[in-house]
Amino acid sequence: MDSKFVTVCLVFLPGLVAGWYNAVLDFPREPSIENYVMWSPDQTESMQSAFSICSWFRSVSTDTRNRWWISYQAQPDADVEDILLADTVNGASIFSTNMGVSSPALEKRKWYHMCQTWDLSTRTAYLYVDGKFVGSKGTAAGRKLPVGGIFVLGQEQDRPGSNFDANQAFVGQLYQLNMYGRALTGQEIERVFNRGRCASSDPNLLRDIVISWSDVLEAPRSGEVRVKKSTCSAWHLVEDYIDPDLLEHLMKYHDV
């Protein structure tokens, strides 16, 4: 059997069968503390010394407040968000310290790709938007990402899994949120962005994913958060393996 055919099947079919491809997390337009995704994954052990968190997001907020799409907190008796990313760049924080990034300004109702990386060896967190480096922040020597914490999508948590504020609740959509057990390079992040929102995960980075988009979609949802279909064609899943002209034909006349 042709090896390329086998590769195509391995990449193409699981996403369709599992339902994660073209599935976005939709957070209602009316901000509420009831709308969130929350779970405590075991995989944070693989992120203690280095990690990357990357996702596509589209904010439909009608105000200029920071509205956080992901937060991670592990210390039960303190307001310490170890990871915090918003629909603006100036909302990005690492270990409860704002990264101090002020540009670019992000428009509403537009898809963006954001990545935050951090590595204990360099003691530095980096922020990227649409494949471009936009800022960095140094962290304390020896500071590691604590394990056993809680990830919350759509809310900023002042205590692990609680103390939400509707004025900080994310409204919009998330897609292809993946977490890696190392700090991706700027070139790798640029390549992920250039593949486009509808592309499958970069095959060269699959081994580094510790929490995948399919894991996120299986996490418990609260309130009116829904999994909805987006506008991507499933043929994008095989674009690395077939002729571009054939891909264009399939998407035009045999879309799935």
Side-chain angles (χ1 to χ4, degrees):
M1 184 178 294
D2 185 89
S3 61
K4 181 176 289 189
F5 174 77
V6 173
T7 302
V8 168
C9 290
L10 290 174
V11 172
F12 183 70
L13 293 178
L16 293 181
V17 173
W20 60 259
Y21 183 75
N22 200 32
V24 301
L25 274 177
D26 184 80
F27 295 79
R29 297 186 180 186
E30 184 65 31
S32 169
I33 62 172
E34 304 298 328
N35 300 324
Y36 57 86
V37 178
M38 181 166 61
W39 80 114
S40 182
D42 296 331
Q43 298 95 319
T44 51
E45 290 186 2
S46 300
M47 302 167 64
Q48 280 186 283
S49 298
F51 67 79
S52 299
I53 295 179
C54 299
S55 182
W56 291 88
F57 73 88
R58 176 177 176 266
S59 174
V60 297
S61 169
T62 57
D63 55 47
T64 59
R65 296 186 180 97
N66 286 329
R67 294 190 173 275
W68 282 275
W69 53 266
I70 188 170
S71 62
Y72 176 76
Q73 188 168 351
Q75 301 184 43
D77 299 320
D79 183 5
V80 178
E81 291 92 357
D82 296 288
I83 298 169
L84 198 56
L85 295 172
D87 59 357
T88 64
V89 295
N90 59 25
S93 297
I94 181 75
F95 301 143
S96 280
T97 301
N98 188 275
M99 293 185 65
V101 182
S102 58
S103 64
L106 305 185
E107 301 174 22
K108 305 299 183 182
R109 302 180 182 278
K110 179 179 178 180
W111 282 103
Y112 288 98
H113 185 257
M114 181 179 286
C115 283
Q116 184 187 61
T117 73
W118 169 79
D119 192 305
L120 177 63
S121 63
T122 62
R123 294 187 297 164
T124 305
Y126 296 90
L127 189 69
Y128 300 81
V129 173
D130 287 354
K132 303 298 183 184
F133 167 77
V134 297
S136 63
K137 185 70 175 181
T139 59
R143 180 67 182 266
K144 291 185 176 182
L145 184 72
V147 301
I150 295 176
F151 276 107
V152 175
L153 306 183
Q155 304 284 345
E156 187 266 350
Q157 45 185 329
D158 289 339
R159 291 291 186 274
S162 63
N163 288 37
F164 303 149
D165 183 343
N167 289 323
Q168 300 170 335
F170 178 72
V171 289
Q173 296 177 324
L174 297 178
Y175 186 53
Q176 289 283 29
L177 167 57
N178 291 295
M179 306 186 200
Y180 304 81
R182 67 177 178 88
L184 301 184
T185 67
Q187 288 182 329
E188 289 171 328
I189 291 172
E190 183 177 23
R191 188 169 70 233
V192 171
F193 167 71
N194 287 337
R195 289 170 63 83
R197 179 174 64 88
C198 292
S200 60
S201 297
D202 188 334
N204 297 310
L205 301 179
L206 289 177
R207 66 174 66 90
D208 298 307
I209 294 176
V210 295
I211 299 175
S212 69
W213 180 232
S214 60
D215 295 327
V216 173
L217 291 177
E218 292 173 359
R221 299 187 295 273
S222 177
E224 298 300 318
V225 179
R226 297 287 184 265
V227 175
K228 294 185 177 181
K229 290 297 182 183
S230 186
T231 56
C232 295
S233 167
W235 291 115
H236 281 291
L237 285 170
V238 295
E239 63 184 348
D240 294 321
Y241 309 100
I242 62 178
D243 181 80
D245 292 334
L246 175 58
L247 176 64
E248 183 178 356
H249 173 83
L250 291 170
M251 292 176 64
K252 184 175 183 179
Y253 297 105
H254 306 281
D255 203 9
V256 290

